Amino acid sequence: MIMLGATVLAFLLQPAGFSQAANNQQVAPAGQPALTPGAVPTPGTEAVLRTLVAGLASGSPDYDKLSPQFAPIVRRDLPVTHPMFSSMGELKSVTFLGRDGMGGDAYHLVFANGSAIMSAGLDSDGRMAGGILRPLSGSAPAPGTEAALRGFVAGVASGSPDYGKLSPQFAQVVRQDLPRTRPLFSSMGQLKSMTFLGRGEMGDDAFDLVFANGGVIMSAALDADGRITGGMFQPIAPPGR
């Protein structure tokens, strides 16, 4: 997957990457998440993203609409992305989710045969310079993941996660990162809504979480004992809603 501005909480679940426009980075400095409610998409990002998706599906991306750095990555990974997008069929809807900490606009794309979370960042010439791509599937989350994720978020915000509800490996990651994640979640305030987006390649269920003062795209996968084993975490500044 394209990984620009996405933070993976547990490498145990990280899918094999197919493109990387820049080094993986945290989307915001620790304790200083650039999350501002009422975000609106940057003019041009949706159009560029639609064009890229159509080009990947047809096998002929318009490389002139990609930055010189990003174009070679897209060309290299076309043998993977072309069958992926051609198999998903017609693009039915594109919904803006918010702006990530690297300035990219994140969208939820729904196709006839699947969905994806994608983002796009533009250069000064309006060309796509990179983004994230996370293919999704499924119409309903696995039983227990939403409740587990709600409990996890509340625990991190309070500074006291229930480590008994996390796998031993993931518990270590969460404990280590708590000095960074606690101020992030506590600053965002009350959780207002949680919308299922789809299931990732590693069986993790992705959700769009909107808080009083910000938002995140998060995913979680459970082990046989119902404990969270890992997932994906990407802060975004959600649109006004």
Side-chain angles (χ1 to χ4, degrees), residues 25-221:
Q25 305 175 49
Q26 287 194 1
V27 296
Q32 298 179 15
L35 306 178
T36 305
V40 294
T42 302
T45 53
E46 180 178 341
V48 166
L49 201 56
R50 284 179 177 271
T51 298
L52 175 62
V53 166
L56 293 175
S58 69
S60 301
D62 185 346
Y63 293 107
D64 290 337
K65 293 189 176 179
L66 309 177
S67 72
Q69 296 79 15
F70 189 51
I73 297 171
V74 173
R75 182 177 288 106
R76 181 196 69 191
D77 293 326
L78 191 60
V80 175
T81 54
H82 171 45
M84 177 191 303
F85 281 97
S86 61
S87 68
M88 288 197 287
E90 181 185 358
L91 178 59
K92 296 291 189 178
S93 65
V94 178
T95 303
F96 177 59
L97 297 175
R99 184 165 301 144
D100 64 33
M102 297 299 293
D105 292 336
Y107 295 87
H108 183 216
L109 283 67
V110 177
F111 299 83
N113 304 311
S115 65
I117 297 171
M118 293 188 71
S119 73
L122 306 182
D123 65 13
S124 58
D125 295 316
R127 299 170 299 188
M128 186 170 173
I132 64 165
L133 165 60
R134 184 170 172 79
L136 302 171
S137 63
S139 58
T145 53
E146 179 175 345
L149 201 53
R150 284 180 179 272
F152 174 69
V153 167
V156 172
S158 70
S160 301
D162 186 346
Y163 294 106
K165 293 185 177 180
L166 311 177
S167 70
Q169 298 88 345
F170 188 53
Q172 292 179 7
V173 176
V174 172
R175 186 176 286 108
Q176 177 182 333
D177 290 340
L178 192 60
R180 291 178 294 175
T181 54
R182 180 187 180 184
L184 175 77
F185 281 98
S186 61
S187 69
M188 288 194 291
Q190 181 184 0
L191 177 60
K192 297 289 190 178
S193 66
M194 190 168 175
T195 305
F196 176 65
L197 298 176
R199 183 159 301 137
E201 297 165 290
M202 301 300 291
D204 52 324
D205 291 330
F207 295 86
D208 177 20
L209 282 69
V210 177
F211 297 81
N213 304 309
V216 297
I217 297 171
M218 291 188 72
S219 72

